[in-house]
Amino acid sequence: MGWQVIVFLLAFTCSTIHCQIRYSIPEEMKKGSLIGNIAQDLGLDLKRLQTGRAHIVTGESMQYAELKPDKGTLVVKERIDREELCGDITPCSFSFEIILENPMELHQVTIEITDINDNSPVFRKSQMSFEISETATLGSRFVLATAEDLDVGINTLQNYVLSKNDNFVVKQHSNPDGSKYAEMVLQKALDREDQPKLSLKLIAVDGGNPQRSGTVNIDVTVLDANDNAPIFNQTVYTATVTENAAVGTYITTLNATDADSGFNGELSYAFSNLKEHLTEIFHIDRYSGVISVAGNIDFEKDKRYEIRVEVKDHGGLTDTSKVIIEVSDVNDNIPVISIMSFLNPVSEDSPPGTTIAIINVKDADSGGNGQITCTVHKSLPFRIKSTLANYYTLVTDALLDREKLEEYNISVSATDGGSPPLSTSKTLHLRVSDINDNPPEFGQTAYYATVPENTSPGTSIVTVTARDPDWNQNSRVSYFIQETRSGDDSVSSYVSINTETGVIHAVRPFDYEQIKEIRFTVKAQDAGSPPLCNNATVIVSVQDQNDNGPQILYPVQTGGSPVTEMVPRSADVGYLVTKVVAVDVDSGQNAWLSYKLQKATDRALFEVGLQNGEIRTVRQVTDKDAVKQKLTVVVEDNGQPSRSATVNVNVAVADAFTEVLSEFTDFTHDKEYNDNLTFYLVLALVVVSFLFIVTIIAILSVKCYRWRRERMFYKSGANLPVIPYYPPLYADVGGTGTLQHMCSYEAYRTTDSRKSDLKYARPPTESIISLDTAGTQTLTHAKRDNLTNNSEHQQQKPPNADWRFNPNQRPGPSGATATPEVAMGTGPWPNPPTEAEQLQALMAAANEVSEATNTLGPGTMGLSTRYSPQFTLQHVPDYRQNVYIPGSTATLSANPQQPQQPPQALPAPQVTSAQVELPKAQTPASKKKITKKEKK
């Protein structure tokens, strides 16, 4: 283009809510000059700009930019003068917003105005005059006029240049705000006689291209002999003034001294190079040096002032100092609220976070006074969310409910942070549109009604009512009965409902004896889309009529024989004899029962509780009272008309059951009582006898079971190896001795098992126990060894071929007596034992096995306690009486007077059996023992 426009895209930030874009253009551009292609930079097409009715929103009165929606460009609308717009503030920029609708979009645009060198440095004074004494010391400083350049940056004032001379040089200084000022420093003493006046030029030069400058003339008059210059007591004065302070408000006082006296010591104060607009704000007293307020101080325009001041004596000597005035802000601006966009109405099913409005709030104050807090009332379901600087979004904070509140007056308040704070508010009227989100609600979850029996069909029972808080069609309610069954019939056969009104009618009469309660569900459904429904339970109770009399539960009346209660003669007053218990199948008052004593043998002795039916004594029982007392109690209900029942109670007044029994047995005429008493006595006897027989059978079963388990170890049918039989060692101990054990054995075997574990244990003492006739002597080791060796070395003889004797030739049994013809133990075999004797022997064997098993323990090395030295022989059954050995006619005897043979093993088949001396007579007890041994 002919004019050189430099456009920079400095920043571009987008989000789903807004975008920020920044352009940079030079000042003084012509109207219509292109700033930027906003559609391209924002990623929008031209159609979106047109349909969204894109437009610029700015809070300023002057609009410098214009949006061309048809081209998507941003152009200059008005001439932009950076110095007029921002002054000396840098960087200089202005902002505005571009808003698009449907959907709503907000884009912020910032345009920075760059400076061009269109202003030259200018001195407000065209002439400067100085009167300097010739005695001025070298290094004296003289503040020169300050040039102002409205440009900024490199285009503003850069240097001061003093025209060439011999006496003065210029020194340049910078203020904290970046502005520059110059001082003329005396480097060579003045000589009034040589040169009374000097004419100099001060040139101010900026840094633009092309460079611009401004000049001021300086006239120096050399005065005579004032050799002391005034001096400020502070190089910097600081003060604070409040915004909008009244005219004449004191700020600070300058103080300077001059060593001269008289006319040369008189000082005057003045501002040095004060900007033109500041001369209307501050005033300095020339003689006192007091600085005060002369005009309006606005914090929003200037927050800090730096003023150069000078003091001068009449000799022309001066000194300079700096005054820094801080302006404290006053909260004097109210926030301004602007509604940029507003969505009305809003649906009640809008999710939390739905945008309702976009709000712009501005406050001209600064700092804390300009910090805005935008709020809505906490009770409302809305909240304010900050999006951009000074922009807020009003969104929903919870689900809206039109049924609770169908419209809202939202008061948006903006408060600044001043003290006191200033605030403003704006009200938004928002309507909420309805959806079908509420089912009908019944007034109660369950409805109860009572219907008397035999009510006529069509009778109104109860009315159910449901309300729907929705609007229009969504609140129209209809009623239905959900089909269920009550007993054998459906609910619809009992009741019906009016669809519109909810009135429930009876369809047929009710019968309390068939159904006492009808429970069903009523559904209420609205007309929304989709429809919503709710349920309520209806409970109809059938009211009973008094058509049932009381029923006696106790005392039980069986066969006309009442129960008899016994009262001791020592019973006190109030003694509880019994309690009559009755029920009535009716309900309500028809089931309220009362008890009364109708008849009694002695009415002065007993009474009946009216409510509880308890029969108690009224007075102390005496010996004169009859043993047999008969009471008749009547039970009545509370129905109209009432119904009743009676019960007879027999009471026996006695201290012992025998007295009662003898008394009641005398009443032969009372057949019912005697029959019942006989029945119970026979029943008790049968029960006791049955328990006794069961106990005996259980004991016999356990004994037989244990005996059979013991026998199973010896009668196993498995193919076990043949174990030779070694007869036990017997000793003659006078007929009362016990079996001598050389060693003790413990066998652990399983039934029908080929593997058996045999544990052999040595005797626990040095001698084994053997009793003599006195039962107090022991067998020594020597004797024990001899017995053992004899039994081991003696040759086993075969059994006698004649051992199969007929019954008349078998050795004498136990209990056989000696006769002259037949020796003791050699007589004929007696008659076979009876079944009773066999059973007795079997029980004895089982008992012995059980006792032997129970007495084994680790403390006796497998021996029973009966074989201990303290155990007498009388406690042990004598197993040595008439022990019969097959194949031999000899019988081992326990007679101590008969000589004993050493024990022998079974003889071999080829050797004849040894002769054994016959035993003596045997007792019946030994006969049982032998029978048991043979069975084993």
Side-chain angles (χ1 to χ4, degrees):
M1 292 184 291
W3 44 271
Q4 296 179 354
V5 180
I6 304 174
V7 180
F8 299 94
L9 184 60
L10 298 180
F12 180 73
T13 305
C14 290
S15 67
T16 57
I17 301 178
H18 63 271
C19 292
Q20 293 182 348
I21 191 169
R22 188 179 183 92
Y23 294 98
S24 178
I25 63 173
E27 64 178 336
E28 302 295 340
M29 291 181 66
K30 294 180 180 180
K31 294 182 179 180
S33 299
L34 178 65
I35 297 176
N37 192 330
I38 195 71
Q40 180 179 352
D41 295 336
L42 291 177
L44 302 173
D45 53 11
L46 298 179
K47 185 177 179 181
R48 173 69 179 115
L49 293 176
Q50 295 174 4
T51 58
R53 295 187 296 173
H55 59 280
I56 294 175
V57 177
T58 178
E60 304 296 334
S61 59
M62 180 66 73
Q63 185 169 332
Y64 295 99
E66 182 180 6
L67 177 64
K68 300 289 185 181
D70 54 342
K71 297 180 181 180
T73 59
L74 198 64
V75 298
V76 177
K77 184 179 181 182
E78 296 291 340
R79 171 184 171 273
I80 303 174
D81 186 358
R82 194 206 65 79
E83 288 76 18
E84 181 182 350
L85 181 63
C86 299
D88 57 354
I89 298 175
T90 184
C92 179
S93 64
F94 65 92
S95 300
F96 55 88
E97 291 76 34
I98 297 177
I99 294 182
L100 289 83
E101 300 177 356
N102 298 322
M104 184 182 299
E105 293 183 34
L106 177 65
H107 305 281
Q108 186 178 33
V109 179
T110 302
I111 298 179
E112 181 181 358
I113 309 302
T114 60
D115 184 55
I116 63 173
N117 193 19
D118 58 342
N119 293 282
S120 300
V122 177
F123 291 94
R124 288 197 303 271
K125 297 179 181 181
S126 62
Q127 186 74 26
M128 295 182 63
S129 297
F130 292 94
E131 293 180 353
I132 303 174
S133 174
E134 64 177 347
T135 59
T137 60
L138 298 178
S140 297
R141 296 174 301 170
F142 304 92
V143 179
L144 302 177
T146 302
E148 294 182 1
D149 193 341
L150 299 179
D151 295 328
V152 294
I154 194 66
N155 296 325
T156 190
L157 175 66
Q158 298 296 322
N159 294 305
Y160 289 95
V161 179
L162 188 64
S163 61
K164 188 175 181 182
N165 67 90
D166 297 329
N167 299 98
F168 298 95
V169 294
V170 66
K171 285 190 176 182
Q172 183 174 287
H173 301 281
S174 296
N175 291 317
D177 60 354
S179 61
K180 296 178 175 62
Y181 66 94
E183 290 181 340
M184 188 173 61
V185 180
L186 181 64
Q187 67 175 0
K188 184 179 179 182
L190 298 174
D191 188 2
R192 191 190 64 83
E193 289 74 17
D194 183 39
Q195 193 176 8
K197 287 187 177 182
L198 295 174
S199 296
L200 305 173
K201 279 189 177 183
L202 180 64
I203 304 171
V205 182
D206 64 18
N209 188 14
Q211 196 175 49
R212 293 176 179 269
S213 64
T215 61
V216 62
N217 294 325
I218 302 174
D219 293 334
V220 179
T221 301
V222 181
L223 300 179
D224 189 33
N226 185 19
D227 53 347
N228 290 292
I231 301 173
F232 280 104
N233 61 351
Q234 293 180 225
T235 58
V236 178
Y237 291 87
T238 59
T240 302
V241 64
T242 305
E243 181 187 16
N244 301 329
V247 176
T249 301
Y250 170 82
I251 296 177
T252 187
T253 300
L254 304 178
N255 188 12
T257 59
D258 194 338
D260 294 335
S261 62
F263 183 77
N264 292 328
E266 293 179 1
L267 305 177
S268 62
Y269 301 90
F271 292 119
S272 175
N273 301 320
L274 190 63
K275 292 183 180 181
E276 186 176 359
H277 71 282
L278 295 181
T279 59
E280 299 176 359
I281 299 176
F282 301 102
H283 173 265
I284 186 171
D285 188 271
R286 181 177 181 181
Y287 300 102
S288 63
V290 175
I291 300 176
S292 60
V293 177
N296 183 33
I297 300 177
D298 191 359
F299 178 85
E300 283 69 39
K301 292 183 179 180
D302 294 297
K303 302 175 178 59
R304 188 170 184 264
Y305 298 94
E306 289 187 9
I307 304 173
R308 302 295 302 180
V309 293
E310 68 176 6
V311 60
K312 182 187 295 184
D313 60 12
H314 286 282
L317 299 179
T318 62
D319 191 15
T320 61
S321 183
K322 183 192 296 184
V323 178
I324 300 175
I325 301 175
E326 299 283 349
V327 180
S328 59
D329 185 39
V330 175
N331 191 24
D332 57 345
N333 293 282
I334 299 176
V336 178
I337 300 176
S338 301
I339 305 299
M340 313 306 296
S341 178
F342 183 40
L343 176 63
N344 189 28
V346 61
S347 179
E348 67 175 336
D349 63 342
S350 299
T354 302
T355 300
I356 303 299
I358 297 177
I359 303 169
N360 175 258
V361 183
K362 291 183 179 180
D363 193 334
D365 291 325
S366 301
N369 295 329
Q371 292 182 356
I372 304 300
T373 302
C374 195
T375 59
V376 295
H377 200 277
K378 293 182 179 179
S379 61
L380 297 177
F382 304 96
R383 62 185 175 91
I384 293 291
K385 185 171 62 174
S386 177
T387 55
L388 290 174
N390 300 327
Y391 278 89
Y392 300 88
T393 304
L394 177 66
V395 298
T396 58
D397 193 33
L399 291 175
L400 303 179
D401 192 354
R402 191 206 65 81
E403 288 68 37
K404 293 183 179 178
L405 196 60
E406 61 185 9
E407 61 182 16
Y408 294 88
N409 289 323
I410 307 172
S411 179
V412 180
S413 300
T415 306
D416 60 22
S419 179
L422 300 178
S423 62
T424 186
S425 62
K426 181 167 285 190
T427 302
L428 303 177
H429 184 74
L430 178 66
R431 300 188 310 276
V432 182
S433 59
D434 182 58
I435 62 170
N436 189 26
D437 59 341
N438 290 280
E441 293 290 340
F442 285 96
Q444 53 196 78
T445 58
Y447 292 84
Y448 298 90
T450 302
V451 180
E453 281 185 291
N454 304 319
T455 184
S456 59
T459 303
S460 176
I461 300 175
V462 66
T463 301
V464 296
T465 303
R467 300 187 182 277
D468 195 321
D470 290 326
W471 182 75
N472 205 359
Q473 286 293 112
N474 297 332
S475 62
R476 185 175 299 172
V477 180
S478 300
Y479 303 91
F480 307 94
I481 292 179
Q482 292 187 349
E483 186 63 30
T484 56
R485 300 194 66 83
S486 180
D488 296 333
D489 299 327
S490 63
V491 172
S492 59
S493 64
Y494 290 99
V495 293
S496 65
I497 190 169
N498 189 307
T499 306
E500 299 295 331
T501 62
V503 179
I504 299 175
H505 300 276
V507 177
R508 67 180 184 182
F510 298 93
D511 188 3
Y512 181 81
E513 280 66 31
Q514 292 183 357
I515 183 169
K516 297 178 176 58
E517 183 182 88
I518 302 175
R519 186 186 297 263
F520 56 92
T521 301
V522 175
K523 181 177 72 173
Q525 180 175 297
D526 61 23
S529 180
L532 301 178
C533 61
N534 207 341
N535 296 332
T537 301
V538 179
I539 302 173
V540 179
S541 299
V542 180
Q543 187 176 9
D544 181 48
Q545 305 296 324
N546 190 24
D547 55 350
N548 293 282
Q551 297 180 1
I552 305 298
L553 299 182
Y554 185 83
V556 180
Q557 303 293 313
T558 57
S561 299
V563 177
T564 301
E565 305 291 343
M566 191 171 70
V567 177
R569 294 189 179 274
S570 60
D572 295 331
V573 177
Y575 178 83
L576 178 61
V577 178
T578 186
K579 182 176 181 178
V580 177
V581 181
V583 295
D584 196 322
V585 295
D586 293 328
S587 62
Q589 293 186 358
N590 297 329
W592 293 358
L593 302 179
S594 59
Y595 303 84
K596 298 178 183 178
L597 186 61
Q598 188 178 35
K599 292 188 300 182
T601 304
D602 188 353
R603 299 184 64 90
L605 182 58
F606 302 97
E607 67 175 359
V608 179
L610 181 63
Q611 303 297 331
N612 53 24
E614 294 180 350
I615 301 177
R616 296 181 179 270
T617 58
V618 180
R619 59 176 176 80
Q620 182 73 36
V621 180
T622 63
D623 296 338
K624 296 180 180 181
D625 293 326
V627 174
K628 182 177 181 181
Q629 300 282 340
K630 186 174 183 179
L631 309 177
T632 302
V633 179
V634 60
V635 184
E636 292 184 351
D637 61 21
N638 200 33
Q640 294 296 331
S642 64
R643 295 176 178 271
S644 63
T646 60
V647 61
N648 294 326
V649 180
N650 282 348
V651 179
V653 180
D655 290 330
F657 180 78
T658 55
E659 183 181 354
V660 176
L661 185 61
S662 62
E663 182 67 24
F664 276 80
T665 52
D666 293 338
F667 298 149
T668 57
H669 60 277
D670 196 352
K671 185 177 180 302
E672 294 177 352
Y673 177 78
N674 292 335
D675 292 342
N676 291 335
L677 180 59
T678 303
F679 171 78
Y680 289 122
L681 292 177
V682 172
L683 179 62
L685 181 60
V686 169
V687 171
V688 172
S689 301
F690 175 78
L691 293 177
F692 176 78
I693 294 172
V694 168
T695 304
I696 294 300
I697 293 174
I699 293 174
L700 292 176
S701 300
V702 172
K703 294 293 185 179
C704 292
Y705 174 76
R706 291 182 178 178
W707 176 80
R708 292 190 61 182
R709 288 190 61 186
E710 291 293 330
R711 294 299 301 165
M712 288 174 67
F713 287 100
Y714 301 101
K715 292 185 177 182
S716 175
N719 296 324
L720 299 176
V722 178
I723 301 174
Y725 173 74
Y726 295 96
L729 194 62
Y730 294 95
D732 186 5
V733 290
T736 58
T738 61
L739 180 63
Q740 292 291 330
H741 289 276
M742 300 303 295
C743 298
S744 60
Y745 297 86
E746 290 186 7
Y748 306 93
R749 298 182 182 180
T750 57
T751 305
D752 296 334
S753 174
R754 293 179 177 273
K755 297 181 179 180
S756 299
D757 295 330
L758 184 62
K759 184 171 77 172
Y760 169 76
R762 296 289 299 171
T765 58
E766 292 297 329
S767 61
I768 60 175
I769 301 171
S770 177
L771 300 178
D772 56 6
T773 55
T776 58
Q777 295 181 2
T778 60
L779 182 65
T780 61
H781 281 283
K783 294 180 180 181
R784 182 189 63 186
D785 295 337
N786 293 333
L787 293 174
T788 304
N789 293 331
N790 293 333
S791 63
E792 290 177 353
H793 295 287
Q794 188 174 0
Q795 185 177 1
Q796 183 178 4
K797 296 181 180 181
N800 195 334
D802 300 332
W803 68 276
R804 294 181 178 87
F805 298 109
N806 55 34
N808 295 328
Q809 296 176 341
R810 292 180 181 175
S814 61
T817 57
T819 61
E821 295 84 6
V822 180
M824 178 78 65
T826 59
W829 199 263
N831 293 329
T834 63
E835 292 183 358
E837 290 178 347
Q838 292 179 2
L839 178 60
Q840 185 176 7
L842 181 62
M843 291 181 61
N847 187 27
E848 291 298 325
V849 172
S850 175
E851 292 179 358
T853 304
N854 295 334
T855 54
L856 293 178
T860 59
M861 297 296 290
L863 295 177
S864 172
T865 54
R866 69 177 63 186
Y867 300 111
S868 62
Q870 292 79 8
F871 196 88
T872 60
L873 298 178
Q874 287 77 9
H875 295 85
V876 182
D878 191 0
Y879 293 98
R880 297 173 298 167
Q881 298 178 8
N882 280 350
V883 178
Y884 169 71
I885 300 177
S888 174
T889 58
T891 300
L892 296 180
S893 175
N895 191 348
Q897 298 177 358
Q898 189 176 1
Q900 298 290 328
Q901 295 294 333
Q904 297 179 1
L906 291 176
Q910 68 275 9
V911 183
T912 59
S913 60
Q915 296 296 327
V916 181
E917 189 176 339
L918 296 177
K920 293 184 179 180
Q922 300 174 355
T923 62
S926 62
K927 178 182 177 181
K928 295 179 181 179
K929 302 288 183 176
I930 295 172
T931 304
K932 180 175 66 175
K933 294 289 184 178
E934 291 175 354
K935 290 185 179 181
K936 291 183 181 180

